[in-house]
Amino acid sequence: LYPLYPEVSRLADAYYAIGDTFEKLREYEQAIAFYERAIALVPDYKKASEYLLSSAQLYRDKLKQPEKTIATYNRVVTIYPKSQEASTSLFELGNFYEGLKRYQDAIKTYEQLVKDYPKKSISPQALILTGVCYEKMEDFSNAVAIYLRLADEYPNYEQTPQQLFHAGELSEKKLNNVAGAIEIYQKIVS
């Protein structure tokens, strides 16, 4: 029927529908193949970034292919930087790196999210996770710096006071910086 109805977006819809069906049938590689065909056909289609993100999640959760997961998340950010899925991809990629204990990569990814999408609701959480990664690397001074940055950049975020208190504890107990801890605790009070 396609030659009779050459609206390209309709063909992309058909490919996406086939991909969705394969995903429901748990034939994930087939699903990804059809998503890719649709994206190749109409790269600027309104659902393209959504389906590319779905592909990354399939690589991550179902196919257990870390390199393809990373590459696909990065494709979402590179090809569709203005989409909602771009910031989601960075957040999920940071989590993925963290799960692989690739903390430096996670930090870099979370930092990119905060830099490129500072007004997104997940950006303060990305900063907190950056601090968590520093803690896992036992780099407590950078963790404290990140939590202080959270207080400066996102003072109204609901978890900011708790993270600031945690920064005071780290300063006191891990860095043996009692004066710094007092200063942080006073910041919470004020």
Side-chain angles (χ1 to χ4, degrees), residues 57-69:
Q57 292 163 335
L58 289 175
Y59 281 128
R60 180 192 67 205
D61 299 333
K62 304 298 183 185
L63 299 172
K64 309 292 187 205
Q65 296 181 9
E67 294 309 315
K68 286 188 178 182
T69 300

PDB file of all heavy atoms in Angstrom, residues 57-69:
ATOM      1  N   GLN A  57      16.823   1.187  26.507  1.00  0.00           N
ATOM      2  CA  GLN A  57      16.319   0.457  27.672  1.00  0.00           C
ATOM      3  C   GLN A  57      16.216  -1.045  27.396  1.00  0.00           C
ATOM      4  O   GLN A  57      16.467  -1.861  28.283  1.00  0.00           O
ATOM      5  CB  GLN A  57      14.966   1.040  28.095  1.00  0.00           C
ATOM      6  CG  GLN A  57      15.113   2.449  28.637  1.00  0.00           C
ATOM      7  CD  GLN A  57      13.814   3.229  28.683  1.00  0.00           C
ATOM      8  OE1 GLN A  57      12.879   2.972  27.934  1.00  0.00           O
ATOM      9  NE2 GLN A  57      13.765   4.226  29.559  1.00  0.00           N
ATOM     10  N   LEU A  58      15.889  -1.408  26.158  1.00  0.00           N
ATOM     11  CA  LEU A  58      15.860  -2.828  25.805  1.00  0.00           C
ATOM     12  C   LEU A  58      17.264  -3.422  25.831  1.00  0.00           C
ATOM     13  O   LEU A  58      17.469  -4.528  26.322  1.00  0.00           O
ATOM     14  CB  LEU A  58      15.223  -3.032  24.427  1.00  0.00           C
ATOM     15  CG  LEU A  58      13.717  -2.798  24.349  1.00  0.00           C
ATOM     16  CD1 LEU A  58      13.240  -2.902  22.902  1.00  0.00           C
ATOM     17  CD2 LEU A  58      12.968  -3.778  25.231  1.00  0.00           C
ATOM     18  N   TYR A  59      18.223  -2.673  25.275  1.00  0.00           N
ATOM     19  CA  TYR A  59      19.615  -3.148  25.334  1.00  0.00           C
ATOM     20  C   TYR A  59      20.057  -3.327  26.784  1.00  0.00           C
ATOM     21  O   TYR A  59      20.756  -4.280  27.116  1.00  0.00           O
ATOM     22  CB  TYR A  59      20.560  -2.166  24.640  1.00  0.00           C
ATOM     23  CG  TYR A  59      20.577  -2.245  23.136  1.00  0.00           C
ATOM     24  CD1 TYR A  59      20.394  -1.120  22.350  1.00  0.00           C
ATOM     25  CD2 TYR A  59      20.808  -3.460  22.487  1.00  0.00           C
ATOM     26  CE1 TYR A  59      20.433  -1.184  20.968  1.00  0.00           C
ATOM     27  CE2 TYR A  59      20.845  -3.538  21.099  1.00  0.00           C
ATOM     28  CZ  TYR A  59      20.648  -2.396  20.347  1.00  0.00           C
ATOM     29  OH  TYR A  59      20.689  -2.472  18.977  1.00  0.00           O
ATOM     30  N   ARG A  60      19.648  -2.396  27.648  1.00  0.00           N
ATOM     31  CA  ARG A  60      20.055  -2.434  29.061  1.00  0.00           C
ATOM     32  C   ARG A  60      19.356  -3.562  29.824  1.00  0.00           C
ATOM     33  O   ARG A  60      20.010  -4.378  30.462  1.00  0.00           O
ATOM     34  CB  ARG A  60      19.743  -1.086  29.715  1.00  0.00           C
ATOM     35  CG  ARG A  60      20.131  -1.003  31.183  1.00  0.00           C
ATOM     36  CD  ARG A  60      19.545   0.214  31.867  1.00  0.00           C
ATOM     37  NE  ARG A  60      18.096   0.081  31.935  1.00  0.00           N
ATOM     38  CZ  ARG A  60      17.248   1.102  32.012  1.00  0.00           C
ATOM     39  NH1 ARG A  60      17.688   2.337  32.043  1.00  0.00           N
ATOM     40  NH2 ARG A  60      15.944   0.907  32.061  1.00  0.00           N
ATOM     41  N   ASP A  61      18.037  -3.591  29.763  1.00  0.00           N
ATOM     42  CA  ASP A  61      17.263  -4.463  30.644  1.00  0.00           C
ATOM     43  C   ASP A  61      17.015  -5.866  30.098  1.00  0.00           C
ATOM     44  O   ASP A  61      16.993  -6.821  30.863  1.00  0.00           O
ATOM     45  CB  ASP A  61      15.904  -3.822  30.961  1.00  0.00           C
ATOM     46  CG  ASP A  61      16.040  -2.496  31.676  1.00  0.00           C
ATOM     47  OD1 ASP A  61      17.059  -2.291  32.369  1.00  0.00           O
ATOM     48  OD2 ASP A  61      15.133  -1.655  31.534  1.00  0.00           O
ATOM     49  N   LYS A  62      16.817  -5.977  28.822  1.00  0.00           N
ATOM     50  CA  LYS A  62      16.414  -7.269  28.255  1.00  0.00           C
ATOM     51  C   LYS A  62      17.558  -8.003  27.563  1.00  0.00           C
ATOM     52  O   LYS A  62      17.697  -9.207  27.694  1.00  0.00           O
ATOM     53  CB  LYS A  62      15.251  -7.085  27.262  1.00  0.00           C
ATOM     54  CG  LYS A  62      14.040  -6.392  27.855  1.00  0.00           C
ATOM     55  CD  LYS A  62      13.437  -7.173  28.990  1.00  0.00           C
ATOM     56  CE  LYS A  62      12.178  -6.474  29.511  1.00  0.00           C
ATOM     57  NZ  LYS A  62      11.621  -7.123  30.664  1.00  0.00           N
ATOM     58  N   LEU A  63      18.363  -7.266  26.805  1.00  0.00           N
ATOM     59  CA  LEU A  63      19.425  -7.907  26.027  1.00  0.00           C
ATOM     60  C   LEU A  63      20.769  -7.914  26.755  1.00  0.00           C
ATOM     61  O   LEU A  63      21.697  -8.596  26.327  1.00  0.00           O
ATOM     62  CB  LEU A  63      19.552  -7.240  24.658  1.00  0.00           C
ATOM     63  CG  LEU A  63      18.287  -7.342  23.798  1.00  0.00           C
ATOM     64  CD1 LEU A  63      18.423  -6.488  22.543  1.00  0.00           C
ATOM     65  CD2 LEU A  63      18.009  -8.791  23.429  1.00  0.00           C
ATOM     66  N   LYS A  64      20.876  -7.127  27.826  1.00  0.00           N
ATOM     67  CA  LYS A  64      22.096  -7.080  28.646  1.00  0.00           C
ATOM     68  C   LYS A  64      23.344  -6.827  27.789  1.00  0.00           C
ATOM     69  O   LYS A  64      24.324  -7.552  27.861  1.00  0.00           O
ATOM     70  CB  LYS A  64      22.279  -8.369  29.457  1.00  0.00           C
ATOM     71  CG  LYS A  64      21.068  -8.794  30.256  1.00  0.00           C
ATOM     72  CD  LYS A  64      20.778  -7.851  31.387  1.00  0.00           C
ATOM     73  CE  LYS A  64      19.651  -8.421  32.248  1.00  0.00           C
ATOM     74  NZ  LYS A  64      18.929  -7.424  32.970  1.00  0.00           N
ATOM     75  N   GLN A  65      23.280  -5.775  26.971  1.00  0.00           N
ATOM     76  CA  GLN A  65      24.388  -5.412  26.099  1.00  0.00           C
ATOM     77  C   GLN A  65      24.888  -4.018  26.481  1.00  0.00           C
ATOM     78  O   GLN A  65      24.404  -3.009  25.963  1.00  0.00           O
ATOM     79  CB  GLN A  65      23.953  -5.468  24.629  1.00  0.00           C
ATOM     80  CG  GLN A  65      23.564  -6.855  24.177  1.00  0.00           C
ATOM     81  CD  GLN A  65      23.151  -6.900  22.712  1.00  0.00           C
ATOM     82  OE1 GLN A  65      23.297  -5.949  21.954  1.00  0.00           O
ATOM     83  NE2 GLN A  65      22.620  -8.039  22.304  1.00  0.00           N
ATOM     84  N   PRO A  66      25.847  -3.956  27.404  1.00  0.00           N
ATOM     85  CA  PRO A  66      26.275  -2.655  27.949  1.00  0.00           C
ATOM     86  C   PRO A  66      26.782  -1.663  26.907  1.00  0.00           C
ATOM     87  O   PRO A  66      26.428  -0.485  26.966  1.00  0.00           O
ATOM     88  CB  PRO A  66      27.387  -3.014  28.939  1.00  0.00           C
ATOM     89  CG  PRO A  66      27.340  -4.475  29.118  1.00  0.00           C
ATOM     90  CD  PRO A  66      26.538  -5.069  28.023  1.00  0.00           C
ATOM     91  N   GLU A  67      27.595  -2.114  25.976  1.00  0.00           N
ATOM     92  CA  GLU A  67      28.156  -1.163  25.001  1.00  0.00           C
ATOM     93  C   GLU A  67      27.080  -0.576  24.098  1.00  0.00           C
ATOM     94  O   GLU A  67      27.097   0.612  23.789  1.00  0.00           O
ATOM     95  CB  GLU A  67      29.284  -1.818  24.193  1.00  0.00           C
ATOM     96  CG  GLU A  67      30.505  -2.178  25.043  1.00  0.00           C
ATOM     97  CD  GLU A  67      31.012  -1.028  25.907  1.00  0.00           C
ATOM     98  OE1 GLU A  67      31.121   0.110  25.429  1.00  0.00           O
ATOM     99  OE2 GLU A  67      31.299  -1.279  27.099  1.00  0.00           O
ATOM    100  N   LYS A  68      26.134  -1.405  23.684  1.00  0.00           N
ATOM    101  CA  LYS A  68      25.034  -0.900  22.852  1.00  0.00           C
ATOM    102  C   LYS A  68      24.105  -0.010  23.681  1.00  0.00           C
ATOM    103  O   LYS A  68      23.556   0.960  23.166  1.00  0.00           O
ATOM    104  CB  LYS A  68      24.263  -2.049  22.213  1.00  0.00           C
ATOM    105  CG  LYS A  68      25.038  -2.693  21.072  1.00  0.00           C
ATOM    106  CD  LYS A  68      24.193  -3.687  20.315  1.00  0.00           C
ATOM    107  CE  LYS A  68      25.005  -4.254  19.156  1.00  0.00           C
ATOM    108  NZ  LYS A  68      24.207  -5.197  18.362  1.00  0.00           N
ATOM    109  N   THR A  69      23.960  -0.322  24.951  1.00  0.00           N
ATOM    110  CA  THR A  69      23.164   0.522  25.845  1.00  0.00           C
ATOM    111  C   THR A  69      23.766   1.919  25.896  1.00  0.00           C
ATOM    112  O   THR A  69      23.073   2.920  25.685  1.00  0.00           O
ATOM    113  CB  THR A  69      23.122  -0.085  27.264  1.00  0.00           C
ATOM    114  OG1 THR A  69      22.532  -1.378  27.211  1.00  0.00           O
ATOM    115  CG2 THR A  69      22.353   0.802  28.226  1.00  0.00           C
TER     116      THR A  69
END
